[in-house]
Amino acid sequence: METESGARPGESAPEPAGRGPERELLAPALDAVRATGAAFLLRGDPGMGKTTLLDWAEERAGRAGLRVLRMAGAEAESALAFAALHQVLWPLLDTAHHLPDGQRHLLEAALGVRADETPAAVEVAGAALALLARAAARRPIVLLLDGLQWADPPSAAVFRFIGSRAAGLPLVVIGATRNEGRYAARGVGRPIDLEPLDDARAGDLLRALYPHLAEWARRRVLRAAGGNPLALRELPAELERAAPDRLAVVVDPETGELLGELPLGERLGALYEDRLRALPEDARHVLLRAALGGPAAPDAAARESAAPAAPAAAGGARTADDAPATIGARAAGTWRRIQDSGLAHVDPRTGRVRFHHPLVRAGLVHTASSAERRAAHRDLAEALPPDSPRRLAHLAAAAIGPDDGLAARLDAAARTTAERGAEAEAASVMARAAGLTADPECRAARLVAAAALAARGGRLRFADRLLAEAENEARPRTPSPAALYALAVAYVRLHLDGDPTPSLRGLPAVLDTAAPFRDAGQRAALLEPALFILVIVASHTGDDRARAALDRHVGQASELTVLCHQAWADPPHTAREVPARLRAAVASRPDGPADPLAARLLLWTAVAVDAVGDHAALWDRLSSRSTYVTQAFIELARAHDHFLHGRWEESLALARRGAAASAAHGYGYNEMMFLLHHGQVLAGRGDTAGLEAIARLLTPWAADRHLRLVTGRLLGLKALCALGHGRAAEAWHHVRSLTPPGGPLPRLPWIQLTLLDFAQAAVETGHRVEAQAHLRAVREAGIAAVSPHHAFLVAAAEALAAADDTAEERYTAAYALPGAEEWPFELARLHLAHGACLRRRSRRREAAARLTAAHAVFERLRAAPWAGQAARELAAAGGPGPEATGAERPTGEVRHPLSAQESRIAELAAEGLTNREIGARLRLSPRTVGAHLYKIFPKLGITTRGGMARALREGGASAQASASARATPAREVIPSLGKTL
């Protein structure tokens, strides 16, 4: 079979992960094929990457212009003479007329073209080599022989002949075979044994394939795969699809690993299936017991089977006393067949069964019937002490119907496991306990408990399935289980898809029921998590139900919960002392709180007062030892903090990685928030297309759930992006929708982040008086007292909105605030506005200093529209212009032969403003505006104001085309959103 590579020039071949050393052996031969040939034989167990290496070789050969001939062995054709050779030579048969008649007739007979008697392999081999040599002389050939263990014997003999003579031809032969069979010891060329990947390479491959796999699943996959690349690819998906009771029943106290059956799926289950089914029934029974016994458990059956048989009684007559000797002989024979199969052996030092590969163990379980598995589990349970955790595991696996006594023991084992911090593993144990529970209400309560454990352990989809089962059984009615049910549903729905409805409907009622919180343990398990969820929901939605419930019950909570509530409840009035109290709380826990909930409370408090960066060392320590849930929460906060502090590349990297991880784990809320943080950087850089791609998905999603924090922040980001491009009217529309001037200040999270946008948009659209009134209300409300960042934003907005006679004083006051330099983007905007103000007053040297500082920051942040504004103002102030400074033209900026002042006047005229209105905004006389317009019309090729907007648009068409190439494509911004939302 001839194949043509689809790779285009410059494309790289797909590389078989983990097989770098093997590629290094094959690559030189492929590269040198025009000078000399070579032959190799890849040998290894099923799933070791042989076919993947052949795929890589085919791609590399295709890019080098080599001809590729490929064979794929099939067991069904292994008895058909020359069937494998037919696949290889058929594409070349039309050139066989160049061969001598004798060789051509041999090939045609072997391949079924000529109805002659099938020739001998030794005769066909020379003719096949001659045909390959002639074809390779015109174009070097790479011959790929996959599945040689199933090649028919005549073809196999021909391939060996060709491989032995490849060195003298422009021909590379690469065969691949399993370790068993005739090719294991003798094959087509130099053998390359594909051993299981070592721990380091297996871990690297698993991280590359599943970068966001939970730690509990990672440990189990690595252990079960045993370095098999195919297993590393497929086992994580099988774990996700498996029924809970197939995953585990208890945790091994020695290793901390889950004890239970590992689901393989059909492909992995078939790797050793033929060899296992070929064993006698008694041999498979012995191996099944060993496979289910666990890696560290001695297997009595194996030791018995391996024991030497006693000699028979003299005279050949057998009695009852001879029975043990007879059994021993039978067992010894069974074990000899097992060892001959190569699937397992007994370690002579320990007497324990050692399988050829962990997948043999899993394959035994996979191929056994459920009745066989249960019987083996019962046998193993009877051989273990009553108090052994392994006995409990085997009993649970052997059980068919309800068994309340066993369920109670599993319940206790799950709680013990959870106390050790292994909630993800404990969830499977508790789920099995629920499956063995007879009473529907008790079963539902255990399902809820399992769901809560799964949620805390980061197994959100598993938790959702368990809650659905609990709902189908009978929703718990007694206080504690009912409260846990409401809490679990609230948590899962909020994180799964950002839905706050279960929290708003269920948690206030739970909190109003005093019974669940009579002791400290119940308060820690139910009250504190419920209050934290309500803090999150209240800050995102502003819903009065959440706020009222918090106000009623926060007095029962811990100090950290109270602090977090105060940070978000009504920041101007409740958060003034939060930064100092937060510093004290962090200082009292230098290594961070042991409780994940306490860590999240501290972090969410820091987010409220823009103080995440003040405690970076704490988050480092917490992240290194936390589960995915806490790590994701930390990375969300850090992505936002990086944006505020001008570390935009770091913010983007966290946002992209976090969105992908959230999609993999099923955390829709996290994914949405990471995308929102991604949008912040896009807005700052003026990437209108990228921001719109995010907004088109997030706006309806958040609006349906009444998540005002998201919809409000998106409006603010649209305003920021519009201001970067000089579209002040559009920005004013957005900020007025967010916070109407003249009305009461909304209790909206992150409202302080739009203060600069509000002030600038108002001033540039002629609403300076409204901006000043709004900022007076902001100052009186106490927003500046919340944190240093809040104080700087208020002062900077006041400077932008100040009248001419007080502007300099306001700018100076803003610069003087402690920590102003920590917020580089906002400080650069202040420098830009101040520089433009100074330039209008002809204070050019001072203006140039401010504008140069602004331009440098915008360039570093890659905020092209803002850098362009700074460069044009700098040129107007007598400094170097955009070309000299290297400023990139803003995305979507109009290209036309107008000066900065003329561009601004033209844009306002295109909006329909009169000369007097334009002059009021730009502080020019109407006569001066008219003089500028007199010069603008001929430059744009128009004669009336009506053509202004069209001329500006057409002038920017080429810029828009180039900007589209620079803008972030929607598919790159939101690669995974559809998977979760």
Side-chain angles (χ1 to χ4, degrees):
M1 177 178 61
E2 183 172 13
T3 60
E4 294 291 343
S5 171
R8 293 182 291 274
E11 285 187 343
S12 60
E15 295 191 350
R19 292 300 180 192
E22 290 80 4
R23 294 198 306 271
E24 292 174 3
L25 290 173
L26 297 174
L30 292 170
D31 295 341
V33 64
R34 288 179 170 85
T36 182
F40 303 90
L41 179 65
L42 306 175
R43 301 187 303 195
D45 281 356
M48 285 297 173
K50 300 181 294 295
T51 300
T52 306
L53 273 170
L54 294 182
D55 293 341
W56 167 84
E58 181 178 343
E59 289 288 343
R60 190 180 183 100
R63 289 198 314 278
L66 310 178
R67 189 172 192 174
V68 178
L69 301 174
R70 187 159 181 172
M71 182 275 291
E75 187 176 11
E77 297 181 353
S78 59
L80 301 177
F82 297 112
L85 185 65
H86 187 284
Q87 295 185 50
V88 172
L89 295 188
W90 188 260
L92 305 180
L93 202 58
D94 59 349
T95 64
H97 62 274
H98 295 293
L99 297 177
D101 288 346
Q103 289 183 330
R104 177 166 55 84
H105 292 164
L106 284 170
L107 287 176
E108 290 175 348
L111 302 184
V113 176
R114 181 182 296 273
D116 290 350
E117 184 178 348
T118 302
V122 67
E123 297 176 314
V124 175
L129 182 65
L131 183 63
L132 283 169
R134 176 173 289 276
R138 294 193 299 272
R139 182 182 175 191
I141 290 176
V142 176
L143 181 58
L144 304 177
L145 309 172
D146 198 2
L148 278 172
Q149 71 275 5
W150 289 317
D152 59 278
S155 294
V158 173
F159 293 147
R160 282 194 294 270
F161 181 82
I162 293 171
S164 66
R165 289 159 176 77
L169 301 171
L171 171 68
V172 170
V173 182
I174 306 176
T177 185
R178 293 183 178 178
N179 277 327
E180 73 272 12
R182 53 183 168 270
Y183 271 101
R186 177 168 164 265
V188 299
R190 173 187 173 186
I192 300 176
D193 290 315
L194 301 187
E195 301 292 343
L197 302 179
D198 58 33
D199 291 346
R201 287 196 294 167
D204 290 343
L205 175 57
L206 188 58
R207 276 189 292 273
L209 295 171
Y210 297 92
H212 314 298
L213 191 64
E215 187 57 32
W216 71 271
R218 182 182 305 280
R219 291 195 303 268
R220 192 163 192 203
V221 167
L222 287 172
R223 178 182 168 201
N228 185 296
L230 180 63
L232 291 168
R233 289 178 181 276
E234 300 207 353
L235 280 176
E238 294 299 332
L239 279 174
E240 180 69 23
R241 287 191 290 266
D245 59 352
R246 290 293 301 275
L247 291 177
V249 285
V250 294
V251 176
D252 187 339
E254 298 177 6
T255 66
E257 297 292 339
L258 293 166
L259 298 177
E261 301 167 15
L262 184 68
L264 287 186
E266 291 305 315
R267 190 177 181 189
L268 287 177
L271 292 185
Y272 294 96
E273 183 174 2
D274 292 341
R275 294 171 66 185
L276 290 170
R277 294 195 185 282
L279 290 171
E281 184 178 351
D282 57 346
R284 283 191 288 111
H285 176 69
V286 168
L287 286 181
L288 178 60
R289 289 181 61 188
L292 293 174
D299 190 278
R303 288 200 299 274
E304 176 187 333
S305 301
R318 299 195 177 274
T319 65
D321 293 335
D322 295 330
T326 305
I327 295 173
R330 187 185 306 118
T334 297
W335 193 249
R336 277 195 298 272
R337 286 191 291 273
I338 290 173
Q339 296 198 122
D340 289 343
S341 74
L343 294 170
H345 69 278
V346 171
D347 189 327
R349 296 169 302 173
T350 63
R352 296 182 179 181
V353 177
R354 300 298 182 196
F355 288 97
H356 170 68
H357 189 274
L359 288 175
V360 175
R361 174 196 301 276
L364 280 160
V365 179
H366 177 81
T367 56
S369 67
S370 58
E372 290 172 332
R373 290 195 299 267
R374 288 196 300 272
H377 279 299
R378 282 194 296 270
D379 291 345
L380 290 165
E382 291 173 0
L384 291 167
D387 58 348
S388 169
R390 291 181 176 277
R391 177 182 173 87
L392 180 61
H394 292 307
L395 289 174
I400 300 177
D403 186 333
D404 287 329
L406 183 57
R409 294 174 62 192
L410 288 171
D411 185 306
R415 297 180 191 279
T416 301
T417 301
E419 289 171 1
R420 294 200 299 265
E423 285 106 340
E425 292 88 343
S428 290
V429 182
M430 186 64 79
R432 183 57 177 146
L436 295 173
T437 304
D439 178 65
E441 187 170 345
C442 184
R443 182 164 59 250
R446 283 176 173 151
L447 285 168
V448 170
L453 290 168
R456 292 206 298 268
R459 302 173 66 185
L460 201 63
R461 296 188 183 100
F462 183 28
D464 192 41
R465 293 203 303 268
L466 292 170
L467 288 172
E469 289 183 40
E471 181 72 23
N472 291 334
E473 288 289 343
R475 186 183 299 182
R477 293 181 292 276
T478 51
S480 292
L484 184 60
Y485 175 83
L487 178 62
V489 170
Y491 180 94
V492 169
R493 298 319 307 173
L494 180 64
H495 286 83
L496 196 65
D497 60 11
D499 184 6
T501 306
S503 302
L504 295 169
R505 291 178 178 173
L507 293 186
V510 167
L511 293 174
D512 290 338
T513 303
F517 313 121
R518 287 175 299 200
D519 59 61
Q522 289 176 324
R523 284 197 296 273
L526 297 171
L527 176 65
E528 299 285 346
L531 289 174
F532 180 56
I533 290 176
L534 285 175
V535 169
I536 297 287
V537 168
S539 60
H540 280 69
T541 65
D543 194 285
D544 288 337
R545 288 171 291 179
R547 287 174 171 166
L550 285 164
D551 291 340
R552 288 196 303 272
H553 298 286
V554 76
Q556 306 175 60
S558 67
E559 176 189 357
L560 292 183
T561 301
V562 172
L563 185 64
C564 189
H565 171 56
Q566 291 175 343
W568 288 96
D570 186 6
H573 302 100
T574 61
R576 298 188 182 194
E577 298 178 1
V578 166
R581 292 174 57 195
L582 176 63
R583 286 193 296 271
V586 171
S588 67
R589 301 169 175 83
D591 294 324
D595 179 13
L597 177 59
R600 289 172 226 159
L601 285 165
L602 284 173
L603 187 60
W604 194 236
T605 303
V607 170
V609 293
D610 296 340
V612 172
D614 296 345
H615 311 288
L618 174 63
W619 316 133
D620 286 337
R621 288 190 291 273
L622 289 174
S623 183
S624 65
R625 64 173 191 256
S626 298
T627 62
Y628 161 76
V629 180
T630 302
Q631 287 176 354
F633 207 61
I634 292 171
E635 291 195 351
L636 277 172
R638 279 182 156 167
H640 182 60
D641 187 69
H642 284 326
F643 172 75
L644 297 182
H645 284 86
R647 297 185 291 270
W648 287 6
E649 287 304 316
E650 292 91 333
S651 181
L652 273 180
L654 278 178
R656 288 168 176 161
R657 184 171 69 244
S662 300
H665 286 282
Y667 280 72
Y669 164 80
N670 286 357
E671 186 180 7
M672 173 266 293
M673 292 303 294
F674 276 119
L675 288 171
L676 182 64
H677 295 327
H678 192 159
Q680 292 186 136
V681 179
L682 298 183
R685 289 179 171 172
D687 189 344
T688 305
L691 181 61
E692 280 300 317
I694 288 177
R696 279 195 300 271
L697 285 165
L698 292 191
T699 299
W701 185 87
D704 288 345
R705 293 156 176 80
H706 306 289
L707 300 176
R708 295 199 312 154
L709 181 146
V710 178
T711 54
R713 186 63 182 137
L714 283 172
L715 279 176
L717 294 178
K718 289 179 179 180
L720 172 62
C721 193
L723 287 171
H725 291 294
R727 302 193 299 268
E730 178 185 333
W732 178 239
H733 169 74
H734 290 314
V735 294
R736 286 192 63 183
S737 301
L738 187 61
T739 170
L745 293 178
R747 292 175 65 179
L748 190 66
W750 290 346
I751 191 66
Q752 77 278 6
L753 300 180
T754 64
L755 290 177
L756 273 181
D757 306 324
F758 188 98
Q760 182 178 348
V763 169
E764 293 186 4
T765 54
H767 297 89
R768 184 185 302 271
V769 174
E770 292 174 78
Q772 291 171 346
H774 179 73
L775 291 171
R776 279 196 299 273
V778 166
R779 175 69 69 176
E780 291 168 2
I783 289 180
V786 173
S787 77
H789 188 213
H790 288 69
F792 174 73
L793 290 173
V794 173
E798 289 173 338
L800 262 65
D804 288 348
D805 56 345
T806 61
E808 191 65 27
E809 177 185 347
R810 295 286 191 179
Y811 281 114
T812 302
Y815 295 140
L817 285 174
E821 67 282 354
E822 293 185 15
W823 323 104
F825 179 59
E826 291 147 348
L827 181 60
R829 290 180 62 184
L830 194 63
H831 283 308
L832 173 60
H834 191 191
C837 180
L838 293 170
R839 194 264 307 162
R840 288 194 297 269
R841 297 180 189 175
S842 299
R843 294 164 61 180
R844 295 179 180 272
R845 181 172 297 179
E846 296 171 80
R850 297 292 179 188
L851 294 169
T852 299
H855 182 266
V857 172
F858 293 142
E859 283 284 279
R860 178 179 66 79
L861 297 176
R862 293 171 55 197
W866 296 95
Q869 289 187 34
R872 291 193 298 275
E873 284 290 347
L874 190 57
E883 292 77 13
T885 59
E888 181 184 355
R889 189 172 295 273
T891 302
E893 181 197 344
V894 174
R895 291 181 183 269
H896 47 57
L898 303 182
S899 68
Q901 187 75 293
E902 289 171 342
S903 295
R904 192 74 190 96
I905 291 172
E907 290 167 359
L908 294 174
E911 294 177 14
L913 275 66
T914 66
N915 288 7
R916 184 176 298 279
E917 290 170 332
I918 294 172
R921 293 196 185 182
L922 301 183
R923 300 179 184 180
L924 301 173
S925 69
R927 185 184 299 275
T928 302
V929 173
H932 279 297
L933 288 172
Y934 180 78
K935 298 177 183 178
I936 290 171
F937 280 16
K939 286 184 178 182
L940 295 182
I942 59 176
T943 57
T944 65
R945 285 175 180 262
M948 186 77 72
R950 178 183 54 79
L952 292 175
R953 285 196 302 271
E954 292 175 354
S958 60
Q960 291 285 5
S962 61
S964 297
R966 293 194 302 270
T968 307
R971 63 180 179 275
E972 295 180 11
V973 174
I974 43 178
S976 59
L977 187 66
K979 299 177 184 176
T980 304
L981 304 185

